[in-house]
Amino acid sequence: MHLPSRRAGVRLTLLYGALLVASGAVLLALTYLLVLRFPADRVLVDGAGAGTDASGGRSGGGLPGVRPTARSGDVFALLQEQAVRQHADQLRQLLVQSGVALAAMLVVSALLGRLVARRVLRPLRAMTGTVRHISAHTLHERLAVAGPADELKELADTVDGLLGRLEGALDSHRRFVADAAHALRAPLTLERTVLRETLVDRDATAETFRANSERLLEISERQARLLESLLALAGSHRGLVHREELDLAPLTESALHVARPDSERLGLKVAAAVGPAPVTGDPALVQRLASCLVDNAVGHNLPGGRVEISTAVRDGYAVLSVANTGDRVAPEQVDRLFEPFRSPGRTAADGRPGLGLTIVHAIALAHDAVISARARPDGGLAVEVAFPARTGDPREGAENIGQLDKRTGLR
């Protein structure tokens, strides 16, 4: 059903008008009851002579200059009857006049209710017009409502906060799409170049075709890894749809086992101190997080370098720590390592899409975990991911984790 425009104004007008009319009706009803309760047969005669009250007895007063006689009781009876008729007539007049006043009050209350409703809704209409004006291209604008800290200003500030988050999300989305397109274009260009070389070379032999096919296969594998990382990143941003009890220790050991050929090829020394670290979460996402951290530590290391990995429970949090040697990273560049395709000195040219730490960040957010990252003085990176432990009070260690959060800004 289509509701009329400005239906809130109509409802407020009816509400304010009904309240005013109801208040006036109650006031008139109380006045009528008070007049109705006044005795109708009471005759008050004041003067020097004797008189008769409503009960027919003698009173100390009387009509001035008139001596009471035996027929004075009939006179006072007539006065009582006249007083009753007069009182009834006054009640009828009061009732009629009250009805007229109430009808006039109905018109006045409708007008006043309309004025008050328009005044109350004026800031809301202004905010609605501003929000309608703001589009995907003008998300930088804000309501910026000035005035006392009332409910309307609180609503405006909430809308401004929402617009700020939308602007940040939209900018991040645009940047991510542009970077992803750039990352996908490079292998496609290389693939097209290899194919052209094969077609142009008329003296190509079977060995040449085989070598070019191996190069194309390698490029295709790089694209597959990039697409897999993009899908994992998109899936981690959707949040958790499945939770179960798990332990970081076996997941970390599995990630180390998968990365062992690369670590042995580079001659890396791996020091693992894997202890129980129970958490609650999505096993596939947590496994992906551990794999990304291990792959990052191995892939961005130096030949003959070192990798240190540990899992433990500290201060009510299950902590996964990964540290590695490697190239020096400026402390101010640490936060950028967690942005997609913006890792300094780390590109997809070596077959790695550069999304590992970005995926780690997204999965950690989905599990309410906190990331602490720092550049090692002698080169490399140290990363800690603190999950709320499955056992223990989740409030324990909150102060410590909050300090890590403030230090890195990677919550």
Side-chain angles (χ1 to χ4, degrees), residues 316-349:
Y317 281 81
V319 182
L320 170 59
S321 302
V322 180
N324 64 279
T325 56
D327 296 332
R328 292 181 180 272
V329 179
E332 62 273 12
Q333 297 291 332
V334 171
D335 289 355
R336 294 191 61 191
L337 298 177
F338 293 85
E339 298 180 9
F341 306 106
R342 294 188 179 272
S343 300
R346 305 179 181 201
T347 65

PDB file of all heavy atoms in Angstrom, residues 316-349:
ATOM      1  N   GLY A 316      44.939 -15.060  28.445  1.00  0.00           N
ATOM      2  CA  GLY A 316      43.595 -15.332  27.968  1.00  0.00           C
ATOM      3  C   GLY A 316      43.432 -15.255  26.468  1.00  0.00           C
ATOM      4  O   GLY A 316      42.301 -15.268  25.977  1.00  0.00           O
ATOM      5  N   TYR A 317      44.524 -15.186  25.722  1.00  0.00           N
ATOM      6  CA  TYR A 317      44.472 -15.133  24.264  1.00  0.00           C
ATOM      7  C   TYR A 317      45.362 -16.226  23.683  1.00  0.00           C
ATOM      8  O   TYR A 317      46.457 -16.498  24.198  1.00  0.00           O
ATOM      9  CB  TYR A 317      44.942 -13.771  23.746  1.00  0.00           C
ATOM     10  CG  TYR A 317      43.889 -12.696  23.857  1.00  0.00           C
ATOM     11  CD1 TYR A 317      43.667 -12.041  25.066  1.00  0.00           C
ATOM     12  CD2 TYR A 317      43.111 -12.338  22.768  1.00  0.00           C
ATOM     13  CE1 TYR A 317      42.696 -11.066  25.177  1.00  0.00           C
ATOM     14  CE2 TYR A 317      42.148 -11.356  22.865  1.00  0.00           C
ATOM     15  CZ  TYR A 317      41.935 -10.730  24.066  1.00  0.00           C
ATOM     16  OH  TYR A 317      40.973  -9.769  24.178  1.00  0.00           O
ATOM     17  N   ALA A 318      44.885 -16.849  22.612  1.00  0.00           N
ATOM     18  CA  ALA A 318      45.686 -17.816  21.865  1.00  0.00           C
ATOM     19  C   ALA A 318      46.472 -17.041  20.815  1.00  0.00           C
ATOM     20  O   ALA A 318      45.897 -16.418  19.927  1.00  0.00           O
ATOM     21  CB  ALA A 318      44.792 -18.859  21.208  1.00  0.00           C
ATOM     22  N   VAL A 319      47.812 -17.088  20.929  1.00  0.00           N
ATOM     23  CA  VAL A 319      48.683 -16.228  20.128  1.00  0.00           C
ATOM     24  C   VAL A 319      49.491 -17.079  19.154  1.00  0.00           C
ATOM     25  O   VAL A 319      50.124 -18.067  19.549  1.00  0.00           O
ATOM     26  CB  VAL A 319      49.627 -15.405  21.018  1.00  0.00           C
ATOM     27  CG1 VAL A 319      50.498 -14.485  20.170  1.00  0.00           C
ATOM     28  CG2 VAL A 319      48.821 -14.590  22.026  1.00  0.00           C
ATOM     29  N   LEU A 320      49.450 -16.671  17.886  1.00  0.00           N
ATOM     30  CA  LEU A 320      50.289 -17.258  16.841  1.00  0.00           C
ATOM     31  C   LEU A 320      51.330 -16.217  16.453  1.00  0.00           C
ATOM     32  O   LEU A 320      50.978 -15.128  15.984  1.00  0.00           O
ATOM     33  CB  LEU A 320      49.443 -17.654  15.628  1.00  0.00           C
ATOM     34  CG  LEU A 320      50.188 -18.065  14.355  1.00  0.00           C
ATOM     35  CD1 LEU A 320      51.098 -19.252  14.602  1.00  0.00           C
ATOM     36  CD2 LEU A 320      49.206 -18.350  13.218  1.00  0.00           C
ATOM     37  N   SER A 321      52.619 -16.565  16.661  1.00  0.00           N
ATOM     38  CA  SER A 321      53.716 -15.626  16.390  1.00  0.00           C
ATOM     39  C   SER A 321      54.581 -16.182  15.274  1.00  0.00           C
ATOM     40  O   SER A 321      54.964 -17.362  15.309  1.00  0.00           O
ATOM     41  CB  SER A 321      54.571 -15.399  17.646  1.00  0.00           C
ATOM     42  OG  SER A 321      53.782 -14.913  18.712  1.00  0.00           O
ATOM     43  N   VAL A 322      54.896 -15.339  14.312  1.00  0.00           N
ATOM     44  CA  VAL A 322      55.761 -15.705  13.187  1.00  0.00           C
ATOM     45  C   VAL A 322      56.746 -14.561  12.967  1.00  0.00           C
ATOM     46  O   VAL A 322      56.337 -13.415  12.774  1.00  0.00           O
ATOM     47  CB  VAL A 322      54.960 -15.968  11.899  1.00  0.00           C
ATOM     48  CG1 VAL A 322      55.901 -16.342  10.757  1.00  0.00           C
ATOM     49  CG2 VAL A 322      53.936 -17.061  12.114  1.00  0.00           C
ATOM     50  N   ALA A 323      58.034 -14.895  13.003  1.00  0.00           N
ATOM     51  CA  ALA A 323      59.084 -13.905  12.762  1.00  0.00           C
ATOM     52  C   ALA A 323      60.063 -14.470  11.744  1.00  0.00           C
ATOM     53  O   ALA A 323      60.334 -15.680  11.727  1.00  0.00           O
ATOM     54  CB  ALA A 323      59.803 -13.550  14.061  1.00  0.00           C
ATOM     55  N   ASN A 324      60.599 -13.605  10.912  1.00  0.00           N
ATOM     56  CA  ASN A 324      61.525 -14.059   9.876  1.00  0.00           C
ATOM     57  C   ASN A 324      62.570 -13.000   9.607  1.00  0.00           C
ATOM     58  O   ASN A 324      62.369 -11.808   9.877  1.00  0.00           O
ATOM     59  CB  ASN A 324      60.773 -14.369   8.579  1.00  0.00           C
ATOM     60  CG  ASN A 324      60.117 -13.143   7.980  1.00  0.00           C
ATOM     61  OD1 ASN A 324      59.043 -12.733   8.406  1.00  0.00           O
ATOM     62  ND2 ASN A 324      60.753 -12.538   6.968  1.00  0.00           N
ATOM     63  N   THR A 325      63.695 -13.446   9.107  1.00  0.00           N
ATOM     64  CA  THR A 325      64.719 -12.534   8.621  1.00  0.00           C
ATOM     65  C   THR A 325      64.354 -12.125   7.198  1.00  0.00           C
ATOM     66  O   THR A 325      63.454 -12.679   6.576  1.00  0.00           O
ATOM     67  CB  THR A 325      66.092 -13.206   8.643  1.00  0.00           C
ATOM     68  OG1 THR A 325      66.026 -14.419   7.884  1.00  0.00           O
ATOM     69  CG2 THR A 325      66.507 -13.542  10.069  1.00  0.00           C
ATOM     70  N   GLY A 326      65.066 -11.144   6.669  1.00  0.00           N
ATOM     71  CA  GLY A 326      64.778 -10.683   5.317  1.00  0.00           C
ATOM     72  C   GLY A 326      65.236  -9.266   5.117  1.00  0.00           C
ATOM     73  O   GLY A 326      66.069  -8.739   5.880  1.00  0.00           O
ATOM     74  N   ASP A 327      64.716  -8.638   4.082  1.00  0.00           N
ATOM     75  CA  ASP A 327      65.080  -7.253   3.791  1.00  0.00           C
ATOM     76  C   ASP A 327      64.552  -6.339   4.896  1.00  0.00           C
ATOM     77  O   ASP A 327      63.551  -6.615   5.542  1.00  0.00           O
ATOM     78  CB  ASP A 327      64.498  -6.827   2.445  1.00  0.00           C
ATOM     79  CG  ASP A 327      65.086  -7.631   1.290  1.00  0.00           C
ATOM     80  OD1 ASP A 327      66.234  -8.086   1.423  1.00  0.00           O
ATOM     81  OD2 ASP A 327      64.373  -7.812   0.282  1.00  0.00           O
ATOM     82  N   ARG A 328      65.255  -5.223   5.070  1.00  0.00           N
ATOM     83  CA  ARG A 328      64.819  -4.262   6.069  1.00  0.00           C
ATOM     84  C   ARG A 328      63.511  -3.588   5.631  1.00  0.00           C
ATOM     85  O   ARG A 328      63.341  -3.253   4.462  1.00  0.00           O
ATOM     86  CB  ARG A 328      65.894  -3.191   6.299  1.00  0.00           C
ATOM     87  CG  ARG A 328      67.162  -3.728   6.963  1.00  0.00           C
ATOM     88  CD  ARG A 328      68.168  -2.609   7.187  1.00  0.00           C
ATOM     89  NE  ARG A 328      69.371  -3.100   7.814  1.00  0.00           N
ATOM     90  CZ  ARG A 328      69.545  -3.199   9.133  1.00  0.00           C
ATOM     91  NH1 ARG A 328      68.568  -2.825   9.940  1.00  0.00           N
ATOM     92  NH2 ARG A 328      70.681  -3.660   9.624  1.00  0.00           N
ATOM     93  N   VAL A 329      62.631  -3.420   6.575  1.00  0.00           N
ATOM     94  CA  VAL A 329      61.346  -2.753   6.337  1.00  0.00           C
ATOM     95  C   VAL A 329      61.279  -1.523   7.236  1.00  0.00           C
ATOM     96  O   VAL A 329      61.496  -1.620   8.452  1.00  0.00           O
ATOM     97  CB  VAL A 329      60.162  -3.687   6.629  1.00  0.00           C
ATOM     98  CG1 VAL A 329      58.840  -2.960   6.386  1.00  0.00           C
ATOM     99  CG2 VAL A 329      60.244  -4.940   5.777  1.00  0.00           C
ATOM    100  N   ALA A 330      61.013  -0.377   6.650  1.00  0.00           N
ATOM    101  CA  ALA A 330      60.886   0.852   7.440  1.00  0.00           C
ATOM    102  C   ALA A 330      59.686   0.740   8.372  1.00  0.00           C
ATOM    103  O   ALA A 330      58.622   0.250   7.968  1.00  0.00           O
ATOM    104  CB  ALA A 330      60.740   2.060   6.525  1.00  0.00           C
ATOM    105  N   PRO A 331      59.827   1.163   9.626  1.00  0.00           N
ATOM    106  CA  PRO A 331      58.703   1.044  10.567  1.00  0.00           C
ATOM    107  C   PRO A 331      57.432   1.709  10.072  1.00  0.00           C
ATOM    108  O   PRO A 331      56.331   1.215  10.320  1.00  0.00           O
ATOM    109  CB  PRO A 331      59.243   1.719  11.835  1.00  0.00           C
ATOM    110  CG  PRO A 331      60.725   1.594  11.731  1.00  0.00           C
ATOM    111  CD  PRO A 331      61.040   1.694  10.267  1.00  0.00           C
ATOM    112  N   GLU A 332      57.575   2.823   9.347  1.00  0.00           N
ATOM    113  CA  GLU A 332      56.377   3.510   8.874  1.00  0.00           C
ATOM    114  C   GLU A 332      55.717   2.772   7.711  1.00  0.00           C
ATOM    115  O   GLU A 332      54.592   3.117   7.312  1.00  0.00           O
ATOM    116  CB  GLU A 332      56.706   4.939   8.449  1.00  0.00           C
ATOM    117  CG  GLU A 332      57.687   5.051   7.310  1.00  0.00           C
ATOM    118  CD  GLU A 332      59.139   5.061   7.781  1.00  0.00           C
ATOM    119  OE1 GLU A 332      59.375   4.759   8.972  1.00  0.00           O
ATOM    120  OE2 GLU A 332      60.012   5.383   6.957  1.00  0.00           O
ATOM    121  N   GLN A 333      56.396   1.757   7.153  1.00  0.00           N
ATOM    122  CA  GLN A 333      55.828   0.989   6.056  1.00  0.00           C
ATOM    123  C   GLN A 333      55.147  -0.297   6.507  1.00  0.00           C
ATOM    124  O   GLN A 333      54.598  -1.023   5.677  1.00  0.00           O
ATOM    125  CB  GLN A 333      56.940   0.640   5.049  1.00  0.00           C
ATOM    126  CG  GLN A 333      57.593   1.833   4.382  1.00  0.00           C
ATOM    127  CD  GLN A 333      56.648   2.539   3.432  1.00  0.00           C
ATOM    128  OE1 GLN A 333      55.737   1.938   2.875  1.00  0.00           O
ATOM    129  NE2 GLN A 333      56.857   3.844   3.239  1.00  0.00           N
ATOM    130  N   VAL A 334      55.176  -0.575   7.814  1.00  0.00           N
ATOM    131  CA  VAL A 334      54.636  -1.845   8.300  1.00  0.00           C
ATOM    132  C   VAL A 334      53.135  -1.943   8.023  1.00  0.00           C
ATOM    133  O   VAL A 334      52.636  -2.982   7.564  1.00  0.00           O
ATOM    134  CB  VAL A 334      54.936  -2.008   9.805  1.00  0.00           C
ATOM    135  CG1 VAL A 334      54.201  -3.219  10.365  1.00  0.00           C
ATOM    136  CG2 VAL A 334      56.430  -2.160  10.019  1.00  0.00           C
ATOM    137  N   ASP A 335      52.404  -0.877   8.301  1.00  0.00           N
ATOM    138  CA  ASP A 335      50.951  -0.918   8.088  1.00  0.00           C
ATOM    139  C   ASP A 335      50.593  -1.168   6.628  1.00  0.00           C
ATOM    140  O   ASP A 335      49.587  -1.810   6.325  1.00  0.00           O
ATOM    141  CB  ASP A 335      50.307   0.388   8.558  1.00  0.00           C
ATOM    142  CG  ASP A 335      50.317   0.510  10.072  1.00  0.00           C
ATOM    143  OD1 ASP A 335      50.738  -0.460  10.731  1.00  0.00           O
ATOM    144  OD2 ASP A 335      49.926   1.576  10.585  1.00  0.00           O
ATOM    145  N   ARG A 336      51.422  -0.687   5.701  1.00  0.00           N
ATOM    146  CA  ARG A 336      51.126  -0.860   4.285  1.00  0.00           C
ATOM    147  C   ARG A 336      51.253  -2.314   3.854  1.00  0.00           C
ATOM    148  O   ARG A 336      50.691  -2.701   2.821  1.00  0.00           O
ATOM    149  CB  ARG A 336      52.061   0.008   3.439  1.00  0.00           C
ATOM    150  CG  ARG A 336      51.860   1.505   3.620  1.00  0.00           C
ATOM    151  CD  ARG A 336      52.627   2.256   2.557  1.00  0.00           C
ATOM    152  NE  ARG A 336      52.164   1.896   1.206  1.00  0.00           N
ATOM    153  CZ  ARG A 336      52.805   2.236   0.093  1.00  0.00           C
ATOM    154  NH1 ARG A 336      53.944   2.913   0.151  1.00  0.00           N
ATOM    155  NH2 ARG A 336      52.327   1.876  -1.077  1.00  0.00           N
ATOM    156  N   LEU A 337      51.994  -3.108   4.620  1.00  0.00           N
ATOM    157  CA  LEU A 337      52.128  -4.516   4.261  1.00  0.00           C
ATOM    158  C   LEU A 337      50.792  -5.245   4.297  1.00  0.00           C
ATOM    159  O   LEU A 337      50.633  -6.278   3.641  1.00  0.00           O
ATOM    160  CB  LEU A 337      53.112  -5.209   5.207  1.00  0.00           C
ATOM    161  CG  LEU A 337      54.549  -4.693   5.199  1.00  0.00           C
ATOM    162  CD1 LEU A 337      55.378  -5.427   6.243  1.00  0.00           C
ATOM    163  CD2 LEU A 337      55.179  -4.862   3.824  1.00  0.00           C
ATOM    164  N   PHE A 338      49.834  -4.717   5.043  1.00  0.00           N
ATOM    165  CA  PHE A 338      48.539  -5.370   5.183  1.00  0.00           C
ATOM    166  C   PHE A 338      47.516  -4.843   4.194  1.00  0.00           C
ATOM    167  O   PHE A 338      46.360  -5.232   4.236  1.00  0.00           O
ATOM    168  CB  PHE A 338      48.013  -5.207   6.618  1.00  0.00           C
ATOM    169  CG  PHE A 338      48.843  -5.943   7.628  1.00  0.00           C
ATOM    170  CD1 PHE A 338      49.980  -5.362   8.168  1.00  0.00           C
ATOM    171  CD2 PHE A 338      48.486  -7.213   8.030  1.00  0.00           C
ATOM    172  CE1 PHE A 338      50.740  -6.044   9.100  1.00  0.00           C
ATOM    173  CE2 PHE A 338      49.241  -7.901   8.959  1.00  0.00           C
ATOM    174  CZ  PHE A 338      50.379  -7.317   9.492  1.00  0.00           C
ATOM    175  N   GLU A 339      47.927  -3.929   3.309  1.00  0.00           N
ATOM    176  CA  GLU A 339      47.039  -3.436   2.271  1.00  0.00           C
ATOM    177  C   GLU A 339      47.241  -4.248   0.996  1.00  0.00           C
ATOM    178  O   GLU A 339      48.365  -4.678   0.703  1.00  0.00           O
ATOM    179  CB  GLU A 339      47.309  -1.956   1.987  1.00  0.00           C
ATOM    180  CG  GLU A 339      47.056  -1.050   3.180  1.00  0.00           C
ATOM    181  CD  GLU A 339      47.322   0.399   2.860  1.00  0.00           C
ATOM    182  OE1 GLU A 339      47.528   0.696   1.654  1.00  0.00           O
ATOM    183  OE2 GLU A 339      47.336   1.227   3.781  1.00  0.00           O
ATOM    184  N   PRO A 340      46.172  -4.494   0.228  1.00  0.00           N
ATOM    185  CA  PRO A 340      46.314  -5.317  -0.980  1.00  0.00           C
ATOM    186  C   PRO A 340      47.202  -4.663  -2.030  1.00  0.00           C
ATOM    187  O   PRO A 340      47.046  -3.490  -2.353  1.00  0.00           O
ATOM    188  CB  PRO A 340      44.868  -5.460  -1.482  1.00  0.00           C
ATOM    189  CG  PRO A 340      44.135  -4.308  -0.883  1.00  0.00           C
ATOM    190  CD  PRO A 340      44.787  -4.048   0.442  1.00  0.00           C
ATOM    191  N   PHE A 341      48.164  -5.439  -2.528  1.00  0.00           N
ATOM    192  CA  PHE A 341      49.057  -5.040  -3.616  1.00  0.00           C
ATOM    193  C   PHE A 341      49.908  -3.826  -3.265  1.00  0.00           C
ATOM    194  O   PHE A 341      50.421  -3.152  -4.148  1.00  0.00           O
ATOM    195  CB  PHE A 341      48.258  -4.721  -4.899  1.00  0.00           C
ATOM    196  CG  PHE A 341      47.351  -5.821  -5.344  1.00  0.00           C
ATOM    197  CD1 PHE A 341      45.978  -5.711  -5.170  1.00  0.00           C
ATOM    198  CD2 PHE A 341      47.853  -6.964  -5.927  1.00  0.00           C
ATOM    199  CE1 PHE A 341      45.131  -6.720  -5.581  1.00  0.00           C
ATOM    200  CE2 PHE A 341      47.009  -7.981  -6.336  1.00  0.00           C
ATOM    201  CZ  PHE A 341      45.652  -7.862  -6.163  1.00  0.00           C
ATOM    202  N   ARG A 342      50.077  -3.534  -1.990  1.00  0.00           N
ATOM    203  CA  ARG A 342      50.834  -2.344  -1.602  1.00  0.00           C
ATOM    204  C   ARG A 342      51.975  -2.692  -0.661  1.00  0.00           C
ATOM    205  O   ARG A 342      52.392  -1.871   0.137  1.00  0.00           O
ATOM    206  CB  ARG A 342      49.920  -1.301  -0.952  1.00  0.00           C
ATOM    207  CG  ARG A 342      48.900  -0.739  -1.929  1.00  0.00           C
ATOM    208  CD  ARG A 342      48.125   0.408  -1.346  1.00  0.00           C
ATOM    209  NE  ARG A 342      47.186   0.938  -2.318  1.00  0.00           N
ATOM    210  CZ  ARG A 342      47.482   1.882  -3.201  1.00  0.00           C
ATOM    211  NH1 ARG A 342      48.667   2.404  -3.226  1.00  0.00           N
ATOM    212  NH2 ARG A 342      46.577   2.301  -4.067  1.00  0.00           N
ATOM    213  N   SER A 343      52.486  -3.893  -0.759  1.00  0.00           N
ATOM    214  CA  SER A 343      53.623  -4.285   0.055  1.00  0.00           C
ATOM    215  C   SER A 343      54.894  -3.725  -0.571  1.00  0.00           C
ATOM    216  O   SER A 343      55.207  -4.013  -1.726  1.00  0.00           O
ATOM    217  CB  SER A 343      53.721  -5.809   0.143  1.00  0.00           C
ATOM    218  OG  SER A 343      52.546  -6.336   0.718  1.00  0.00           O
ATOM    219  N   PRO A 344      55.643  -2.895   0.151  1.00  0.00           N
ATOM    220  CA  PRO A 344      56.853  -2.297  -0.427  1.00  0.00           C
ATOM    221  C   PRO A 344      57.847  -3.370  -0.846  1.00  0.00           C
ATOM    222  O   PRO A 344      58.232  -4.241  -0.064  1.00  0.00           O
ATOM    223  CB  PRO A 344      57.399  -1.443   0.726  1.00  0.00           C
ATOM    224  CG  PRO A 344      56.240  -1.201   1.618  1.00  0.00           C
ATOM    225  CD  PRO A 344      55.394  -2.432   1.505  1.00  0.00           C
ATOM    226  N   GLY A 345      58.261  -3.314  -2.089  1.00  0.00           N
ATOM    227  CA  GLY A 345      59.244  -4.265  -2.572  1.00  0.00           C
ATOM    228  C   GLY A 345      58.715  -5.655  -2.775  1.00  0.00           C
ATOM    229  O   GLY A 345      59.474  -6.582  -3.016  1.00  0.00           O
ATOM    230  N   ARG A 346      57.389  -5.847  -2.691  1.00  0.00           N
ATOM    231  CA  ARG A 346      56.808  -7.169  -2.836  1.00  0.00           C
ATOM    232  C   ARG A 346      55.774  -7.098  -3.941  1.00  0.00           C
ATOM    233  O   ARG A 346      54.752  -6.446  -3.799  1.00  0.00           O
ATOM    234  CB  ARG A 346      56.161  -7.639  -1.530  1.00  0.00           C
ATOM    235  CG  ARG A 346      57.125  -7.590  -0.356  1.00  0.00           C
ATOM    236  CD  ARG A 346      56.466  -8.037   0.920  1.00  0.00           C
ATOM    237  NE  ARG A 346      57.403  -7.972   2.035  1.00  0.00           N
ATOM    238  CZ  ARG A 346      57.271  -8.646   3.163  1.00  0.00           C
ATOM    239  NH1 ARG A 346      56.244  -9.428   3.336  1.00  0.00           N
ATOM    240  NH2 ARG A 346      58.165  -8.553   4.120  1.00  0.00           N
ATOM    241  N   THR A 347      56.030  -7.783  -5.029  1.00  0.00           N
ATOM    242  CA  THR A 347      55.129  -7.763  -6.173  1.00  0.00           C
ATOM    243  C   THR A 347      54.811  -9.173  -6.585  1.00  0.00           C
ATOM    244  O   THR A 347      55.307 -10.139  -6.020  1.00  0.00           O
ATOM    245  CB  THR A 347      55.768  -7.007  -7.351  1.00  0.00           C
ATOM    246  OG1 THR A 347      56.924  -7.730  -7.782  1.00  0.00           O
ATOM    247  CG2 THR A 347      56.198  -5.598  -6.946  1.00  0.00           C
ATOM    248  N   ALA A 348      53.949  -9.262  -7.579  1.00  0.00           N
ATOM    249  CA  ALA A 348      53.577 -10.568  -8.086  1.00  0.00           C
ATOM    250  C   ALA A 348      54.555 -11.100  -9.112  1.00  0.00           C
ATOM    251  O   ALA A 348      54.351 -12.149  -9.702  1.00  0.00           O
ATOM    252  CB  ALA A 348      52.176 -10.503  -8.694  1.00  0.00           C
ATOM    253  N   ALA A 349      55.667 -10.401  -9.331  1.00  0.00           N
ATOM    254  CA  ALA A 349      56.617 -10.842 -10.342  1.00  0.00           C
ATOM    255  C   ALA A 349      57.254 -12.173  -9.971  1.00  0.00           C
ATOM    256  O   ALA A 349      57.678 -12.932 -10.839  1.00  0.00           O
ATOM    257  CB  ALA A 349      57.684  -9.771 -10.539  1.00  0.00           C
TER     258      ALA A 349
END
